Amino acid sequence: MDLHAYDFDPAIPDEAFTPAGELRAHWRPLAIALRDRDAAAVTPALVTAEPGEPPDSIPLLLPESEWRFLETGLRQRVKALNLLLADLYGDAAIVRDGVVPAAVVGGSRQFRVEMRGAVRPEDVPAAVCRIDVARAPGGFRVLRDNVRCPGGGAPMVAVGRVLEEPLRRARDACAARDTPPYASALLETLRELAPGDADPRVALLTPGHYNAAFAEHALLAKAAGMELVTGPDLFVEDGQVHLRGARGSLRVHVLYRQVDDDFLDPLAFRPDSVLGVPGLLHACRLGSVAVLNAPGTGVADDPAVFPFVAQAIRYYLAEEPLLPGVETWACVRPDELEYALDHLGELTIEQRGNNEVLFGPGLSAAERAACAARLRAAPDEFVARRAPPVTSAPCLVDGRLGQGAVALHCFVLQGRSTRVVPGALCRDVPTSPGGPGEPRAKDVWIVPE
């Protein structure tokens, strides 16, 4: 497989090649290692990172200096996100001081008034954060924060395992940095946040077999050595969470939950839920169990809160943001609504709560009118975003080298210490004359300059 045969559009900035068509220096060892191998030799057969998502076996290479910059920016952002969450459910000083508008926070479907006073200033509400980043003109930009129940950890584990053997020689040739296992780092982080026990029991709470992400939950729990449990497996007694067992009950100290807030505790949220644990929020308030990420953390990844993360970094840390976010306008603010209405042909419009892209550039006159009417009728429901052009990289599609737009899913684990998982997970979206293909997962290697 010859990377020099990669047919790419020079008008799109590329990770592997310069606009003049020259292979970048840190990609050359990979090109040499792959030159004498056909595509079949590095294409895993019948393996997917997620259902319907075959992995791309051409890794993305990042120079060490770029990763160090990313790592510093990610630490900064996640620290500010945790401070923001603790504040919003505590004194809400950032709202009182006018940095984040009350209407933006109060209008978030993910803000849980039930959690007020349940998060102490020293707590870590968001132990696991996935920050989606892409390289755009001017440098790396944050595309989205994923804080509530961030997915992607299991695909990262799966891709690494699947590609380890086929690409071992290529990885050695590139002198790629060794990547500590994500699952063990996750478990260590969760154990650090357990309430006062030298040997805490950690369980992953899943909605169960019928959930679309159950295979991911099972893979991650097994890899990390966590109990995999559903709501009916647990009960609360004397303010503590217990796991039912054939030989009696076992106390659970940490729940890594993959169940949405609404269904976590029928006594506190939706009373018809059969997926949660009655009394869980009470146990959480008592401090006898750490529920991670905490209920209500989704307010931090609300797209209307997204543009205020930069202000939160300045407010809490007195620092300038190292990783700017993509331009976003919260339509609940009248001036930002007017900007969105005036630039509908340039922006994408998303609905809060589901991050669904409803409208994008290229609208017809009739579509623009319909979009404008919806925004004016319910401005608090929408945000407008200007998606920047992102870089591309070589990808393997049906045994052929193609071009794919790439974005990084970077995982930050915040326990008593901060762990930025080296290498992250990459999503590429192959492009073709007929339009973008389906996204696939690919590995990320940190390599010397």
Side-chain angles (χ1 to χ4, degrees):
M1 179 168 46
D2 186 1
L3 285 184
H4 290 88
Y6 169 44
D7 184 18
F8 69 98
D9 183 352
I12 302 174
D14 194 81
E15 294 284 338
F17 285 84
T18 68
E22 295 179 355
L23 189 64
R24 300 184 192 276
H26 61 282
W27 281 79
R28 290 172 191 162
L30 179 64
I32 294 170
L34 296 179
R35 186 172 53 199
D36 299 326
R37 309 194 71 185
D38 60 30
V42 294
T43 302
L46 302 177
V47 179
T48 58
E50 288 182 335
E53 183 185 326
D56 179 358
S57 51
I58 304 297
L60 177 69
L61 307 187
L62 285 181
E64 183 77 38
S65 61
E66 292 186 356
W67 177 255
R68 285 197 300 269
F69 173 79
L70 262 178
E71 188 175 42
T72 304
L74 292 166
R75 288 176 182 273
Q76 179 195 61
R77 192 171 185 90
V78 169
K79 184 176 182 180
L81 286 171
N82 270 295
L83 290 170
L84 173 64
L85 286 165
D87 187 12
L88 291 180
Y89 289 109
D91 294 336
I94 199 169
V95 175
R96 186 179 64 242
D97 291 344
V99 179
V100 178
V104 169
V105 176
S108 174
R109 297 177 186 176
Q110 302 303 328
F111 183 75
R112 303 292 177 178
V113 295
E114 299 89 346
M115 290 299 293
R116 280 186 170 158
V119 181
R120 297 165 299 181
E122 67 273 18
D123 286 345
V124 179
V128 183
C129 296
R130 194 190 87 204
I131 311 298
D132 296 348
V133 178
R135 194 196 305 272
F140 288 106
R141 280 187 172 270
V142 176
L143 304 178
R144 199 175 300 278
D145 299 307
N146 298 273
V147 181
R148 180 168 47 108
C149 291
M156 182 163 58
V157 172
V159 168
R161 286 179 176 176
V162 168
L163 299 180
E164 181 179 8
E165 187 60 35
L167 294 180
R168 179 175 296 174
R169 290 185 181 178
R171 190 181 186 97
D172 291 344
C174 293
R177 184 202 286 191
D178 288 337
T179 303
Y182 170 76
S184 58
L186 172 63
L187 181 62
E188 188 174 353
T189 297
L190 297 174
R191 287 171 65 91
E192 286 178 358
L193 299 176
D197 194 285
D199 187 23
R201 179 170 287 102
V202 182
L204 188 154
L205 178 62
T206 175
H209 291 80
Y210 297 105
N211 185 267
F214 178 75
E216 178 178 334
H217 302 161
L219 187 156
L220 190 57
K222 183 177 180 180
M226 292 185 275
E227 302 275 0
L228 181 65
V229 302
T230 61
D233 296 326
L234 304 171
F235 66 95
V236 175
E237 186 174 84
D238 296 329
Q240 297 179 347
V241 177
H242 297 270
L243 171 64
R244 306 178 196 275
R247 298 183 179 180
S249 64
L250 300 169
R251 184 180 170 190
V252 175
H253 304 85
V254 180
L255 269 184
Y256 181 46
R257 57 94 174 206
Q258 298 298 304
V259 173
D260 284 347
D261 292 357
D262 282 342
F263 302 98
L264 269 177
D265 181 348
L267 300 183
F269 303 113
R270 282 186 54 159
D272 60 342
S273 171
V274 295
L275 301 177
V277 185
L280 181 59
L281 184 58
H282 175 63
C284 184
R285 281 184 173 276
L286 292 176
S288 67
V289 66
V291 178
L292 301 167
N293 290 342
T297 48
V299 68
D301 57 31
D302 187 313
V305 174
F306 179 87
F308 298 98
V309 176
Q311 286 94 315
I313 291 171
R314 298 184 183 102
Y315 182 82
Y316 296 117
L317 306 179
E319 299 171 358
E320 281 301 306
L322 295 175
L323 297 175
V326 296
E327 292 181 283
T328 305
W329 292 265
C331 296
V332 66
R333 306 183 80 188
D335 57 332
E336 300 196 16
L337 170 64
E338 289 307 313
Y339 183 91
L341 291 170
D342 290 342
H343 296 83
L344 280 181
E346 309 164 15
L347 306 175
T348 58
I349 307 300
E350 294 184 13
Q351 188 165 19
R352 295 174 68 183
N354 58 14
N355 295 339
E356 181 184 358
V357 177
L358 299 179
F359 302 98
L363 297 176
S364 66
E367 289 169 332
R368 278 199 302 274
C371 177
R374 290 190 65 178
L375 263 63
R376 289 193 177 96
D380 58 322
E381 288 285 322
F382 299 98
V383 299
R385 293 163 65 89
R386 190 188 303 278
V390 301
T391 54
S392 62
C395 60
L396 202 59
V397 182
D398 297 328
R400 295 185 178 183
L401 283 171
Q403 187 174 24
V406 290
L408 293 170
H409 291 184
C410 301
F411 290 84
V412 184
L413 306 176
Q414 182 66 65
R416 297 307 171 197
S417 59
T418 306
R419 300 173 178 88
V420 180
V421 180
L425 175 75
C426 183
R427 284 284 194 273
D428 69 19
V429 181
T431 56
S432 68
E438 293 298 320
R440 291 102 50 81
K442 70 193 301 173
D443 209 354
V444 177
W445 296 356
I446 304 168
V447 298
E449 304 295 322

